[in-house]
Structures are given as C-alpha cells and as structure tokens.
Amino acid sequence: MSTHGSPPGAVAPPPGAFTGMLRAALVPSLVAGAACAVVALVTSGLAGLVAALVGVALVVLFFGSTLVVLGRTARTSPQLVMVVALGTYTAKVVLLAVAFVLLARLTDLPGPALGLTTIVVTTVWLGFELRGFLRARHPVVDEPRPGAGSGTGPGVDGGGSGR
C-alpha cells in the first residue's frame, strides 16, 4: 500500500520521445540561427553577429536543456515528469528574464539582432520539435487493458434507449 508511485496503468513517456524531438529541432534551429547571424552581420556589423549568436545560444540552451532533463526523468512516473516539466519551465522563464536584463545592462549588443534572432530560432525550434514528436508516433494515452470491458456501454451503441 504505497502512497507514492504511479497509478495503475500509468505510463511515463519513453525517453526516446525527448531524444527524437531534440534531434529534430537542433539542426534546423542552428541553420536558422546561422542565417540570422549572416543577416545581423550584414545589417549591424560584428556586434550584430555577436548578438545573433548569443540569441541562438540562449534558445538552444533553454529549449535543449528541457528535453535533456525530461529525457532523463522519463523512466520515472508520469507525475514526476510533469513536475519536472513545470519546474524547468518556471526556471527557464525566470532565467531568461534575468539573461535579457543582464544583456541589456551589461553589453552594447544591438537589441533588434538579438531579439529577432531569438524569435526566429524559437519559432523554428518549436515547429521542428512538434514535427519530431508527431513523427515519432509515441503513444500519449494509456491503451485499454484487456478484459477491462468491451468499450461499449449503455447508449454507446444506441441499443439502450428503450425504443
């Protein structure tokens, strides 16, 4: 009679789901970041290039760290995975705010190059992460257990209306 652990039938996401999403998102994000860096170099000079590279590094570190941490906790209970996901999200929001405040106060990096690169690479990352998840075809719901019922109850098959 354990008070902790997963409920009967609960399944944690497979660790491969997070690894696949990381692989699917990393390369396209780096390509988009390189394109943004070239544009920033042309429009804002060396400072724009540095700002774009900082933006790419921020996105890759923040989004990649979540997938790595979730991949390592995926072998545990689904509840722990959710707690870790929410905790890393909260930590990332706070750390990202701190990073942007520090970058604004301590450096002379062009804000548009940093901001636009961060937005572009974030959008590419999220799009390809979603694509990687959808292509992995990992089940995200529990399969019904054999013998748990036929799946049809009164009203489901239309036979229980009494007409």
Side-chain angles (χ1 to χ4, degrees), residues 13-162:
F18 300 109
T19 305
M21 290 188 297
L22 180 63
R23 272 189 306 232
L26 184 60
V27 172
S29 297
L30 292 176
V31 169
C36 288
V38 169
V39 170
L41 177 64
V42 170
T43 59
S44 301
L46 189 57
L49 174 66
V50 172
L53 293 177
V54 167
V56 172
L58 282 172
V59 172
V60 169
L61 285 173
F62 279 77
F63 283 106
S65 64
T66 298
L67 292 175
V68 169
V69 169
L70 289 176
R72 291 180 187 245
T73 60
R75 290 180 182 87
T76 61
S77 71
Q79 293 84 4
L80 181 61
V81 172
M82 186 55 137
V83 168
V84 169
L86 292 173
T88 55
Y89 175 77
T90 303
K92 284 189 326 183
V93 168
V94 170
L95 290 173
L96 192 57
V98 168
F100 277 124
V101 167
L102 289 176
L103 284 170
R105 290 186 179 170
L106 302 178
T107 65
D108 290 329
L109 295 177
L114 176 64
L116 290 174
T117 300
T118 303
I119 291 169
V120 168
V121 177
T122 297
T123 303
V124 169
W125 182 284
L126 291 174
F128 278 91
E129 183 180 309
L130 177 63
R131 181 178 183 220
F133 174 77
L134 293 173
R135 287 188 170 198
R137 298 192 179 267
H138 292 290
V140 292
V141 295
D142 296 335
E143 295 291 327
R145 287 180 272 166
S150 64
T152 58
V156 172
D157 60 357
S161 64

